[in-house]
Amino acid sequence: MKIAIWQAQSSYCDYAANLARLAAALQQAKSQQAELLITPEMFMSGYVLQQHLPAMADSFPLTELLALARERQMAMIVTGPLAEAGQIFNASYFISAQGELQCVYRKTHLFGELDKRQFSPGNQPVCITRYKDLNIALLICYDVEFPETVRAAARAGAHLVAVATAQMKPFDFVNRHLIATRSWENQLYMAYVNQTGREQHLEYVGLSLVTSPDGEVLCQASESEEQLLYAEIDPSQVTEAQKQNPYLSDLRTDIL
């Protein structure tokens, strides 16, 4: 499957503007024969929401997103706040090309005081959906910095781990080194899709990328430009990599 990763700066607290930009990105990705578009963390709403968070969560445009996927005939992973049972989560939504909501992942590891003030933590460690011939696991930003999260996805059969992120300075080490390592140690594809530009006190580092099961960087964006990049995801390469580099089968689960 050909996927598209969209490194972009969201329009702050403006669902209409972000829906319009998303529609254009979907159209461009479809013209390049991509079948799935992945967006950055909290792209639909902006990230530093603070007092705006309750209203933005209550008005999250899920119905419009489902209709957009159906109209463009493109699957997408989109992100924003989720109001549920009196709590608000930082969420990643997988929507099929038929406009069906296949799964929702709630960020489990909250980073710093901003995240912890704004959101409740999710409690589902593995969120995998099957789309065409791919098993796709969803994570959000800080989640991927814990090796246990990606290992759990790999052990559950993921071919691709799609990570929406809003990675800021000075943590570009994650983009430059850690994501490829996660691919290598779990023999799967990683897509790490970041915001760019500035949002209030945060300066995002860009550097979105896709890595292969052997740790190769298949594509990587710049630090500051909005970019739409593409990569081919082949589940047979995951199977072959796990034969050649048998960390998962050699893991001592009896003692770990």
Side-chain angles (χ1 to χ4, degrees):
M1 181 190 296
K2 187 175 186 179
I3 68 167
I5 62 169
W6 187 28
Q7 177 169 290
Q9 183 174 15
S10 66
S11 297
Y12 185 70
C13 286
D14 192 339
Y15 282 140
N18 290 324
L19 279 165
R21 296 179 61 222
L22 178 59
L26 286 166
Q27 189 64 34
Q28 185 178 345
K30 188 174 180 64
S31 75
Q32 298 299 313
Q33 290 76 53
E35 297 183 76
L36 169 66
L37 175 71
I38 308 171
T39 69
E41 180 182 11
M42 297 295 286
F43 170 76
M44 288 304 301
S45 58
Y47 180 53
V48 190
L49 295 175
Q50 298 177 331
Q51 73 272 18
H52 304 294
L53 180 60
M56 295 302 290
D58 287 340
S59 60
F60 185 77
L62 181 58
T63 299
E64 291 88 339
L65 288 165
L66 298 177
L68 181 58
R70 223 168 17 247
E71 176 188 324
R72 291 292 191 269
Q73 286 293 290
M74 273 281 294
M76 55 181 166
I77 295 172
V78 293
T79 51
L82 167 66
E84 187 176 67
Q87 300 179 87
I88 299 177
F89 300 92
N90 181 336
S92 185
Y93 301 74
F94 189 102
I95 301 172
S96 76
Q98 291 72 45
E100 297 171 347
L101 181 62
Q102 289 197 188
C103 69
V104 180
Y105 173 73
R106 300 153 186 83
K107 187 176 183 180
T108 55
H109 295 80
L110 302 181
F111 177 74
E113 288 307 308
L114 175 62
D115 247 5
K116 292 171 183 176
R117 282 198 307 269
Q118 294 194 128
F119 303 113
S120 297
N123 294 313
Q124 182 183 9
V126 178
C127 177
I128 292 183
T129 190
R130 178 90 174 172
Y131 190 67
K132 300 197 172 178
D133 61 347
L134 285 185
N135 296 329
I136 302 171
L138 306 183
L139 291 177
I140 299 175
C141 199
Y142 194 41
D143 292 326
V144 80
E145 297 178 38
F146 296 84
E148 295 85 356
T149 61
V150 183
R151 178 54 53 84
R155 292 183 64 191
H159 300 121
L160 168 67
V161 176
V163 187
T165 187
Q167 186 63 279
M168 73 288 286
K169 291 185 176 181
F171 303 112
D172 60 329
F173 176 90
V174 174
N175 311 57
R176 297 184 189 278
H177 303 288
L178 187 63
I179 300 304
T181 300
R182 290 285 179 268
S183 278
W184 168 260
E185 67 192 7
N186 293 288
Q187 302 85 56
L188 44 64
Y189 291 91
M190 300 284 300
Y192 188 76
V193 189
N194 200 11
Q195 296 242 21
T196 189
R198 299 188 67 96
E199 183 181 347
Q200 298 190 40
H201 64 287
L202 301 180
E203 184 174 359
Y204 298 119
V205 302
L207 298 172
S208 303
L209 72 160
V210 179
T211 54
S212 70
D214 61 2
E216 178 186 359
V217 175
L218 300 179
C219 63
Q220 183 153 35
S222 72
E223 294 182 21
S224 58
E225 295 178 24
E226 292 199 355
Q227 290 177 269
L228 194 57
L229 301 177
Y230 303 93
E232 293 283 349
I233 308 298
D234 182 353
S236 71
Q237 293 300 311
V238 175
T239 302
E240 183 60 29
Q242 290 174 356
K243 290 178 183 176
Q244 298 298 323
N245 185 17
Y247 288 156
L248 297 180
S249 58
D250 286 349
L251 179 65
R252 286 288 308 277
T253 56
D254 59 318
I255 60 172
L256 294 175

